[in-house]
């Protein structure tokens, strides 16, 4: 079972993973071949951050005794980690409520709530949104709780940790963009806290966003990372379980006009068609029939792995594909590179906007720093290969027509 399936060019281990995801998430029939390389499947599912879903019913799989024991241990660790993450959501809710700070949880537990079993989804940090005016108050509260703040100069969130808890406090929309796109982002997010509702279960309590806000977060977060380092099947599954919860008319009434206005409706269609074909969710009329492009998108998602875990070089390709803060995939690669370099300088040297002379100095400094890491073996670099692949990916993403408004 090595090589590629000639029908759709999907590696066989990935095809098995898709089959098991469809079976365990949507009860889709899937017949396993006889000669599966389960070690390869396990490795790939980890890179895609869907190990816990793929092996959810591992006792039914023909695993060796040794591998079954390893899978059992990994699933136990996964469950314990997830339970702790859900508890942290409740902890966050209690702190924010006690101190009268309005907030809304994003991603994480919200995404997990759409799964047949919320514990199936791999969890990470606890992400939440507060109004920019509440940042100082929230920081003081978390400092009092003993949290240490990350030193990174992230443009739209603050990372913090304490006693095994890892939180990200967002003060701008997830995957924020500049210009007219950012204006629509701000408009769409303006009522995210006011419209949030309390979600309570045996696992966690938190303020959850509306269906529109959650869907918008899923799409923009996926697009943001896809165009750079890459996303994996976890993000694809998040969208699949979410969109499968809608009837045709309900999805159109909530999403169509707003997604077309910002140029994200086609991305929603293609992700959904990929889930129809490869996971077995119900097809809705609004999804269309462009399965070829949907396959191309899914292949790219799988090639990258979760946040580029399968190929760390993709992040450098991304600097030629799209500036992180602008939806400029249609621009030339040179202009995108310069924009990306400027953003890197701004990120590391906040004073650059006041002193523009720092930009060319920053270009030289960060380029030489990266070259040094290549020479010392800490980074890999193949300029010709990176340039070629960036062009291929850029052409693919241009066909998605992201941030090209539809009427």
């Amino acid at each position: 079972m090595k090589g590629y399936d000639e029908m759709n060019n999907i590696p066989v281990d990935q095809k098995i993973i898709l089959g098991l995801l469809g079976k365990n998430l949507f009860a889709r029939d899937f017949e396993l071949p006889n000669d599966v390389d389960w070690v390869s499947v396990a490795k790939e599912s980890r890179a895609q951050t869907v190990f816990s879903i793929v092996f959810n019913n591992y006792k039914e799989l023909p695993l060796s005794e040794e591998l079954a024991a390893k899978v059992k241990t990994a699933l136990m660790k996964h469950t314990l980690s997830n339970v702790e993450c859900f508890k942290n959501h409740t902890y966050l809710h209690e702190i924010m409520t006690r101190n009268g700070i309005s907030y809304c949880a994003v991603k994480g537990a919200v995404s997990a709530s759409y799964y047949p079993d919320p514990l199936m989804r791999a969890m990470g940090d606890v992400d939440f949104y507060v109004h920019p005016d509440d940042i100082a108050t929230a920081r003081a509260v978390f400092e009092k709780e003993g949290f240490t703040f990350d030193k990174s100069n992230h443009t739209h969130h603050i990372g913090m940790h304490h006693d095994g808890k890892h939180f990200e406090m967002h003060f701008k929309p997830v995957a924020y963009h500049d210009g007219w796109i950012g204006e629509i982002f701000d408009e769409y997010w303006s009522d995210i806290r006011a419209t949030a509702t309390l979600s309570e279960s045996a696992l966690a309590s938190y303020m959850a966003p509306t269906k529109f806000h959650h869907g918008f977060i899923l799409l923009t977060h996926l697009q943001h990372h896809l165009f750079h380092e890459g996303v994996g099947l976890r993000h694809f599954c998040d969208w699949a379980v979410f969109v499968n919860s809608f009837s045709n008319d309900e999805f159109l009434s909530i999403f169509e006009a707003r997604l077309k206005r910002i140029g994200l409706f086609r991305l929603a269609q293609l992700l959904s068609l990929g889930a129809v074909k490869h996971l077995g969710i119900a097809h809705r009329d609004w999804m269309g029939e462009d399965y070829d492009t949907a396959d191309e998108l899914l292949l790219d998602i799988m090639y990258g792995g979760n946040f580029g875990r399968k190929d760390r070089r993709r992040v450098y390709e991304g600097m030629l594909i799209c500036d992180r803060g602008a939806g400029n995939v249609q621009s030339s690669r040179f202009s995108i590179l310069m924009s990306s370099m400027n953003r890197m300088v701004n990120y590391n040297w906040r004073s650059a906007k006041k002193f523009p002379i720092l930009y060319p100095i920053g270009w030289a400094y960060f380029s030489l720093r990266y070259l040094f890491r290549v020479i010392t073996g800490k980074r890999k670099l193949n300029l010709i290969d990176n340039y070629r692949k960036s062009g291929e990916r850029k052409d693919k993403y241009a066909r998605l027509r992201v941030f090209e408004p539809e009427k």
Side-chain angles (χ1 to χ4, degrees), residues 82-207:
N82 268 12
V83 169
E84 193 64 27
C85 189
F86 279 114
K87 287 171 60 178
N88 290 343
H89 278 78
T90 300
Y91 171 83
L92 169 69
H93 179 68
E94 291 173 350
I95 290 176
M96 302 299 275
T97 302
R98 184 168 65 247
N99 288 277
I101 304 174
S102 178
Y103 84 101
C104 181
V106 295
K107 301 184 293 182
V110 186
S111 294
S113 68
Y114 287 90
Y115 282 70
D117 177 357
L119 289 174
M120 294 172 74
R121 183 188 187 271
M123 304 283 278
D125 298 339
V126 176
D127 294 79
F128 63 101
Y129 175 76
V130 300
H131 193 277
D133 293 343
D134 292 329
I135 294 174
T137 302
R139 282 189 69 114
V141 167
F142 284 106
E143 285 176 355
K144 188 176 180 181
E145 289 286 324
F147 279 80
T148 300
F149 295 89
D150 297 346
K151 295 181 180 180
S152 61
N153 296 319
H154 208 285
T155 55
H156 59 261
H157 76 249
I158 299 171
M160 53 185 142
H161 60 275
H162 169 61
D163 194 26
K165 301 178 180 66
H166 300 275
F167 291 170
E168 282 190 0
M169 178 168 63
H170 293 257
F171 47 87
K172 281 188 177 181
V174 174
Y176 188 77
H177 283 262
D178 300 327
W180 70 269
I181 302 172
E183 292 175 1
I184 297 180
F185 268 58
D186 286 334
E187 178 186 332
Y188 286 176
W189 272 65
S190 63
D191 62 345
I192 188 172
R193 293 171 306 121
T195 56
T197 56
L198 178 61
S199 174
E200 292 184 289
S201 70
L203 288 171
S205 298
Y206 55 88
M207 296 303 293

Side-chain angles (χ1 to χ4, degrees), residues 290-324:
D290 190 0
Y291 285 102
D292 289 342
T293 308
D295 275 353
E296 188 175 53
L297 173 60
L298 180 56
L299 277 169
D300 190 72
I301 288 173
M302 291 190 292
Y303 287 158
N306 192 56
F307 298 134
R309 285 176 63 177
K310 291 181 64 177
D311 187 352
R312 297 298 185 184
R313 294 169 298 181
R314 284 173 66 102
V315 68
Y316 301 108
E317 296 168 14
M319 294 182 67
L320 295 165
I321 295 171
C322 182
D323 170 14
R324 280 190 179 275

Side-chain angles (χ1 to χ4, degrees), residues 365-383:
Y365 171 75
F366 291 111
S367 297
L368 289 172
R369 186 178 70 170
Y370 180 70
L371 183 60
F372 175 77
R373 291 176 177 176
V374 172
I375 294 172
T376 57
K378 294 181 179 179
R379 292 287 188 275
K380 294 182 178 180
L381 178 66
N382 186 326
L383 291 175

